[in-house]
Amino acid sequence: MPPRAKPKAKPLKAKPAKGKKPVKAAAKPAKAKKEAALLPLVAGNWKMNGLTAARAELNAVAKFLAKKPRPNCAVLICPPATLIAAFAAAAKGTGVLIGAQDCHARDSGAFTGDIAAPMLKDAGATHVIVGHSERRALHAERDADVRAKAEAVLRAGLTPIVCVGESEAERDAGWTLDVVGRQVQGSIPDAIPAGRLIVAYEPVWAIGSGRTPTLDDIRVVHAGIRERLAARFGEAAARAARILYGGSVKPSNAAEILRVPGVDGALVGGASLLAKDFNEIVKVYKN
Ligand code: PGA
């Protein structure tokens, strides 16, 4: 069974943002985090890819997890909504968690074609990605929408993975920390339980492009995000938060990225579609 955060944790209230104390980034990204809530997370985002036959990939990931040594991280696959129920049933007891890529902000109602968080829970999902840059860009989702979705995810008893990230123009203008800070502020609900605070930093220009920021840039942005979380939720919550890096993570760069201080896992798109690639990334935490 995967060591996972207990969903019963006490809600943290957002603190009024006064002062900005720097917070030390998590010191050990790759190993030996004792509390389940602090385990790194390697999450696969399949996007709009995958038919029933893709179960073979899930099975291959499960098989890899069963081999010793077990990875010192949680492993999540977010297939398209059509596969969630079947994948969750198949993944039971394997250590692979199943998540969703989006949800509606309301729990039910006249919203043709949409999917509510309680439905995802019912299907067996444990996590929901919200505010992915493709949703922000292609469905005009703003921070307030993302926050409402994250609140719906929490209401359903699931864990949101809140995505943030700057565009290339914003980076070139030197606005990365401002943009990401604003998204963190606007997209994360005020009352989020300890251990369920997961942010994915995904520079928009790095997604699907094969390009990644320098390791130092990743370290600086993750530290900036943690500092924002500390100002809002307190230092303990910020330290316990998992900040994932996403954007062109692949077997060839996973080890160096996942070892950057303050990186608590990865959100993997393209390289999560084939178990052989995804397993190589998970393997960074097998030691
Ligand atoms: P990528 O996608 O790994 O294919 O760049 C990451 C994501 O969009 O979550």
Side-chain angles (χ1 to χ4, degrees):
M1 279 305 289
R4 289 292 304 139
K6 291 220 171 66
K8 286 271 156 51
K10 198 166 103 224
L12 302 160
K13 287 275 183 249
K15 285 189 170 174
K18 57 164 177 133
K20 277 198 213 161
K21 281 199 225 144
V23 174
K24 264 209 307 190
K28 294 183 191 166
K31 56 197 300 198
K33 291 193 174 173
K34 288 215 175 79
E35 303 91 328
L38 296 182
L39 270 187
L41 172 67
V42 176
N45 172 14
W46 281 19
K47 309 192 181 187
M48 200 172 71
N49 298 291
L51 303 175
T52 314
R55 260 264 288 279
E57 302 302 323
L58 169 66
N59 293 342
V61 172
K63 205 165 151 195
F64 180 71
L65 288 195
K67 272 202 216 133
K68 290 196 173 136
R70 302 284 161 85
N72 197 15
C73 67
V75 174
L76 173 74
I77 290 178
C78 301
T82 47
L83 296 179
I84 290 174
F87 272 33
K92 228 180 190 150
T94 66
V96 183
L97 300 167
I98 302 300
Q101 302 170 15
D102 180 46
C103 70
H104 197 274
R106 303 277 289 272
D107 296 340
S108 64
F111 302 102
T112 302
D114 279 313
I115 300 177
M119 297 169 180
L120 296 171
K121 182 177 189 186
D122 188 48
T126 54
H127 293 67
V128 184
I129 298 169
V130 292
H132 188 280
S133 73
E134 285 149 20
R135 302 291 315 176
R136 290 179 187 262
L138 304 173
H139 297 266
E141 292 184 9
R142 299 151 307 154
D143 287 335
D145 303 312
V146 177
R147 181 193 285 233
K149 289 182 175 203
E151 283 166 354
V153 172
L154 290 172
R155 271 200 308 280
L158 305 178
T159 299
I161 298 174
V162 180
C163 300
V164 299
E166 82 288 358
S167 67
E168 184 148 38
E170 289 163 340
R171 165 162 290 240
D172 290 346
W175 297 342
T176 298
L177 288 174
D178 293 330
V179 169
V180 166
R182 207 177 331 117
Q183 290 173 333
V184 163
Q185 194 66 26
S187 304
I188 299 176
D190 280 338
I192 188 150
R196 280 160 78 191
L197 185 47
I198 305 181
V199 178
Y201 168 53
E202 300 203 303
V204 177
W205 53 272
I207 293 177
S209 67
R211 297 159 59 208
T212 54
T214 65
L215 300 180
D216 203 48
D217 284 348
I218 294 175
R219 182 186 59 75
V220 168
V221 178
H222 278 233
I225 291 172
R226 212 175 294 276
E227 197 176 309
R228 289 284 185 143
L229 296 176
R232 193 161 162 219
F233 299 106
E235 299 211 0
R239 268 194 299 272
R242 275 171 293 177
I243 306 178
L244 316 181
Y245 169 79
S248 295
V249 175
K250 48 194 176 202
S252 59
N253 63 16
E256 58 179 19
I257 290 175
L258 292 171
R259 291 196 175 111
V260 171
V263 172
D264 306 312
L267 182 53
V268 185
S272 70
L273 292 173
L274 292 177
K276 73 173 174 47
D277 295 334
F278 192 60
N279 288 345
E280 278 300 305
I281 296 169
V282 171
K283 197 171 161 193
V284 173
Y285 289 110
K286 275 203 183 211
N287 49 31

